Amino acid sequence: MTPDTNIDPSRCRILIAEDDAELNHQLTTMMGDAGYQTCSCLDGEAVLEAVARQPYQLILLDLMLPKLDGISVLRLLRKSSRIPVIVVTAKGAEEERITGLRHGADDYISKPFNQVELLLRVEALLRRAQPMVVQKPEALEIDQLTLKLSDLQARVGAEELELTAIQFNLLWELAANRGDVLSKAYLSREVLNRPLGAYDRSLDMHLSRVRRKLCRAGWRGERLQTVRGKGYCLK
């Protein structure tokens, strides 16, 4: 049963991020029966890939996800998006709920949950939400490295770097998320505009070239780090 609401579920796409396959299926069925469009993910990296592919009006986010935990997913999402997020936590996991809210979650619900309560929370959050993308800054500066988004310009001090569009966008993503490890799958979507292939080494090649160009300009290119098994990070 879906309570009366001014939300048109058929126009709302909900992403369900839950690694328990059975619960994921139950949530997908529940939301589908209520009229929502749904997509499901079983790990944190898949969430970021899904969001990069198409817009969603709400995410149901389990915090205990494999590959990339829910808090890390939330932190990365909040750098570029205000998509509403309801975190799903275990019963009594008060610290997890607090951490989720501190990192930008809009609401939470504990397992096991009441179906009607969850639907009401989803509907209430959708009514409150006004889709809004956080504007990217026009420029970034890190220790004499300046990146200007409008013309894809990169400089170290007064020296301009000759970067391709892909190289600039890769450097921009890492600079904008400085200190965070960005997965190859996420960067492939954001920078190369394609899914990551099993044997795709394009990102490695582009990162290596950016690193060399930074070093030649007198900037510590080694700060662009490869984190084995996880992705890349700018320290």
Side-chain angles (χ1 to χ4, degrees), residues 44-97:
E45 287 189 358
V47 175
L48 296 178
E49 292 176 33
V51 171
R53 283 195 301 270
Q54 61 183 338
Y56 290 88
Q57 281 64 55
L58 185 141
I59 299 177
L60 288 175
L61 180 66
D62 181 27
L63 294 185
M64 303 300 289
L65 293 173
K67 294 190 178 179
L68 196 64
D69 64 84
I71 294 299
S72 296
V73 170
L74 192 53
R75 288 175 59 233
L76 288 170
L77 282 174
R78 284 297 176 253
K79 289 178 181 291
S80 61
S81 173
R82 291 302 310 169
I83 180 172
V85 175
I86 297 178
V87 296
V88 182
T89 65
K91 184 177 181 180
E94 183 176 357
E95 188 59 36
E96 285 184 9
R97 295 196 295 270

Side-chain angles (χ1 to χ4, degrees), residues 74-147:
L74 192 53
R75 288 175 59 233
L76 288 170
L77 282 174
R78 284 297 176 253
K79 289 178 181 291
S80 61
S81 173
R82 291 302 310 169
I83 180 172
V85 175
I86 297 178
V87 296
V88 182
T89 65
K91 184 177 181 180
E94 183 176 357
E95 188 59 36
E96 285 184 9
R97 295 196 295 270
I98 292 172
T99 302
L101 293 171
R102 281 178 175 166
H103 284 85
D106 300 276
D107 199 357
Y108 69 86
I109 193 162
S110 300
K111 306 175 191 176
F113 46 79
N114 178 279
Q115 176 175 334
V116 175
E117 180 186 1
L118 177 56
L119 288 173
L120 286 170
R121 285 178 181 269
V122 166
E123 292 161 358
L125 186 49
L126 287 171
R127 282 197 302 270
R128 296 199 307 267
Q130 295 183 353
M132 178 181 68
V133 174
V134 177
Q135 294 297 315
K136 288 185 177 180
E138 279 300 309
L140 296 170
E141 184 171 355
I142 302 174
D143 301 334
Q144 301 300 309
L145 170 64
T146 302
L147 305 177

